[in-house]
Amino acid sequence: MKRLGHLMEQIVERHNLEEAFWLAARGKRDRQEVLAYMRDFQSEMERLREGLLAIDYPVGGFRSFLIRDPKLREINAAPFRERVLHQAIMLVCGPVLEKSLIYDTYACRKGKGQWAAVRRAERFSNESEFFLKFDIRKYFDSIHHETLKAQLERRFKDPFLLAWFDRILHTYRTASGRGLPIGSLISQHLANVYLSPLDHWVHAMVTTHGNLKKPRR
């Protein structure tokens, strides 16, 4: 696997930062924190660029609240400025991380999602006599930071980018060295990456030894 470098240069490019802002602001243009950001847009863009390069832009100021969907979950919403930063990083790193996922990873991916996963499961159920249904208890809370960082280091060699992933991971924990905040854009991507080795192993076992045909895309 070829490790990629010099990605921070792409992340801090002005057009990438501007696109990150518009993505973070989508559907929220009337909120006070977005309006305040827009009033001082040029300064905010420069502050973000400088903060990314210096690895000192503020992160971790989550606003926590509970939802039921249907089980009770704690959501940790980052401030708007931090969401712009997350978008800027993932605009560049997201496509790289996507390449590590199997086709049948449906969470938080463009063109996938809940209903696409249901349709795919229905198709598989018509092709096989057996299936396995399981859930990982408190998955986001259980993610081990050092294991995740090792996975990221196998994909990226840019020291500034790796330092940013390390800094973001340390803004939240549920136990010593564990946990990703539900509600964060970067968390969604990293949660897929963390489970990817298991996905690949299960996929290989099923297609090699099971009675499923190799999935048609």
Side-chain angles (χ1 to χ4, degrees):
M1 180 185 299
K2 184 178 179 180
R3 296 167 68 227
L4 299 179
H6 305 291
L7 295 183
M8 282 303 296
E9 297 171 8
Q10 299 176 42
I11 290 171
V12 299
E13 287 181 357
R14 181 56 181 255
H15 73 84
N16 186 66
L17 299 182
E18 290 182 355
E19 185 176 354
F21 164 78
W22 292 113
L23 286 171
R26 187 167 52 191
K28 305 176 180 70
R29 294 277 299 276
D30 59 344
R31 295 189 181 179
Q32 288 302 312
E33 58 181 346
V34 180
L35 293 172
Y37 198 105
M38 292 179 69
R39 283 195 295 269
D40 200 19
F41 189 73
Q42 302 304 325
S43 296
E44 291 285 1
M45 288 284 100
E46 187 58 28
R47 190 176 299 125
L48 176 57
R49 180 181 183 280
E50 292 177 356
L52 279 164
L53 291 173
I55 319 177
D56 65 359
Y57 197 78
V59 292
F62 300 112
R63 176 176 60 87
S64 301
F65 56 93
L66 299 176
I67 66 168
R68 194 174 291 277
D69 68 337
K71 63 182 179 181
L72 196 65
R73 298 181 187 273
E74 181 181 46
I75 303 299
N76 293 275
F80 180 73
R81 286 186 176 90
E82 185 175 343
R83 293 202 296 273
V84 178
L85 179 142
H86 288 185
Q87 291 284 358
I89 292 175
M90 295 318 302
L91 277 169
V92 174
C93 298
V96 179
L97 298 178
E98 277 281 311
K99 293 178 182 178
S100 69
L101 308 180
I102 64 170
Y103 178 81
D104 288 306
T105 298
Y106 282 84
C108 307
R109 298 177 74 188
K110 188 175 181 178
K112 302 282 187 173
Q114 175 177 299
W115 294 112
V118 169
R119 290 191 294 270
R120 185 73 158 166
E122 287 176 342
R123 180 180 145 196
F124 279 135
S125 68
N126 292 327
E127 296 177 356
S128 179
E129 184 179 357
F130 302 101
F131 68 92
L132 171 65
K133 178 182 178 181
F134 72 95
D135 186 24
I136 299 176
R137 183 176 180 270
K138 295 188 175 180
Y139 174 54
F140 275 71
D141 287 351
S142 69
I143 290 175
H144 186 242
H145 291 175
E146 292 303 320
T147 300
L148 179 55
K149 286 192 287 185
Q151 290 177 277
L152 293 170
E153 287 169 3
R154 289 195 288 271
R155 291 169 175 80
F156 305 111
K157 61 182 179 182
D158 187 318
F160 286 92
L161 177 59
L162 291 172
W164 261 113
F165 279 124
D166 184 69
R167 187 158 184 255
I168 289 168
L169 285 174
H170 280 86
T171 62
Y172 179 88
R173 64 180 183 180
T174 53
S176 179
R178 291 185 181 272
L180 289 179
I182 298 175
S184 162
L185 172 68
I186 288 183
S187 292
Q188 295 169 4
H189 287 272
L190 295 186
N192 281 343
V193 169
Y194 188 78
L195 206 59
S196 182
L198 176 61
D199 291 339
H200 281 279
W201 182 81
V202 171
H203 184 268
M205 290 300 99
V206 170
T207 56
T208 303
H209 304 292
N211 60 352
L212 283 180
K213 300 176 182 178
K214 188 174 182 178
R216 299 184 300 278
R217 297 189 177 184

